Amino acid sequence: GGISNLKMPTPMMNILNGGAHASNNIDIQEFMIVPVLAETFSEKLQVGSEIYHKLGELLKKSGRGTGVGDEGGFAPDLKDEREAIELILKAVRLAGYSDKEVKIALDIASSEWFKNQKYILPKSREKHTGASLIEKTAELIKDYPIISVEDPLAEEDYAGWKDITSKLSKDVMLVGDDLFVTNPERFKSGIEQNLGNAILIKPNQIGTLSETLKVINMAKSAGYKTIISHRSGDTEDTFIADLAVAVGAGFIKSGAPCRTDRIAKYNRLLKIESEITRA
């Protein structure tokens, strides 16, 4: 990364799971908290951990399940995505923080819903066109402190991506994961078509570090935000923690502060931060 790359990423913690990552009744795949105002990574990790445990307490008191999904987030049955967000915001307040200090990020993972140019949510059976799904997402952004939405439209719904980018890119990060798959060619096409304004970076999705770094440099040149990310079936390998700091990524996704495959990355980042501070 070079001597100038000393920026620690902000964690995007997936603390409530749905979609294909959980066997509950929520269609949206990830509900994340993003501690934005704490100054150091260690403080942000503390904020996220406190909120995660408060959410667990809330679920337990209400008689809901506290089992976790693929990425360590809780996976209870809830009424809908709004109840999920409101529970998280309640946990934020109980932990002593405000929605100015902690924001919400979503991974909608809508490619899972897309068939024959329509969106059918598999759990609620709700049906949408691209336009109505954009409207639903816009209403959530208006009503809650959401700063990032990943895969709000399906990977092949280019018209939908163009539409949502023109309408919402000034308000939130519109993150392409399935859309770009850390692939230089797909990302180049997306930049040319003005699709989204942020990209999820998964080194083992594209396969080589050379291609990963190429995509990150493309993102910086095009003004796209970068989020370094783990995978659902991850291991305790901590390389992405080093990568996030080396390339000066703004954010890292490493799941909830739960399970060793997720905690390993956070522990590595704590060590990196202590080394940077000493330097």
Side-chain angles (χ1 to χ4, degrees), residues 72-252:
F74 298 112
D77 282 333
L78 298 170
K79 180 182 176 184
D80 54 21
E81 65 278 349
R82 286 179 174 267
E83 185 179 19
I85 295 170
E86 285 163 10
L87 266 171
I88 290 171
L89 292 175
K90 187 174 181 180
V92 168
R93 293 189 294 272
L94 285 173
Y97 303 104
S98 71
D99 60 16
K100 290 183 178 180
E101 297 169 292
V102 181
K103 302 296 184 180
I104 301 292
L106 304 176
D107 177 6
I108 293 182
S110 62
S111 292
E112 302 274 352
W113 309 342
F114 196 56
K115 189 175 182 181
N116 298 325
Q117 303 302 308
K118 299 286 184 183
Y119 293 88
I120 302 175
L121 283 58
K123 297 179 181 181
S124 67
R125 305 309 298 170
E126 203 173 294
K127 296 180 181 179
H128 284 282
T129 61
S132 67
L133 189 58
I134 292 169
E135 185 178 344
K136 179 185 176 78
T137 303
E139 287 173 358
L140 289 174
I141 292 167
K142 179 173 67 73
D143 292 343
Y144 299 109
I146 295 169
I147 64 164
S148 176
V149 182
E150 183 181 327
D151 287 341
L153 280 305
E155 60 198 76
E156 302 299 336
D157 187 359
Y158 302 121
W161 268 100
K162 287 181 182 178
D163 192 16
I164 199 169
T165 302
S166 67
K167 290 177 178 176
L168 299 178
S169 61
K170 292 180 180 179
D171 301 320
V172 295
M173 287 193 293
L174 297 170
V175 185
D177 174 18
D178 295 339
L179 178 67
F180 299 135
V181 289
T182 321
N183 182 296
E185 294 306 314
R186 280 190 68 94
F187 189 36
K188 180 176 182 288
S189 175
I191 293 169
E192 291 169 350
Q193 295 180 70
N194 193 32
L195 307 181
N197 59 12
I199 180 170
L200 204 70
I201 302 293
K202 295 174 175 175
N204 69 348
Q205 188 177 51
I206 185 59
T208 70
L209 185 55
S210 299
E211 290 167 301
T212 300
L213 292 173
K214 180 179 180 179
V215 171
I216 291 169
N217 288 331
M218 288 171 65
K220 289 183 176 181
S221 297
Y224 278 60
K225 301 285 188 184
T226 53
I227 303 165
I228 307 299
S229 179
H230 61 167
R231 306 300 298 273
S232 297
D234 217 347
T235 71
E236 292 183 12
D237 184 277
T238 63
F239 173 73
I240 63 166
D242 290 75
L243 179 66
V245 180
V247 301
F251 302 91
I252 188 167

Side-chain angles (χ1 to χ4, degrees), residues 15-16 33 49-67 74-78 82-97:
I15 65 168
L16 202 151
I33 49 172
S49 297
E50 290 172 353
I51 293 167
Y52 177 74
H53 289 289
K54 285 296 180 185
L55 179 60
E57 290 174 15
L58 273 176
L59 294 172
K60 189 173 182 179
K61 284 180 181 177
S62 65
R64 294 185 175 95
T66 53
F74 298 112
D77 282 333
L78 298 170
R82 286 179 174 267
E83 185 179 19
I85 295 170
E86 285 163 10
L87 266 171
I88 290 171
L89 292 175
K90 187 174 181 180
V92 168
R93 293 189 294 272
L94 285 173
Y97 303 104

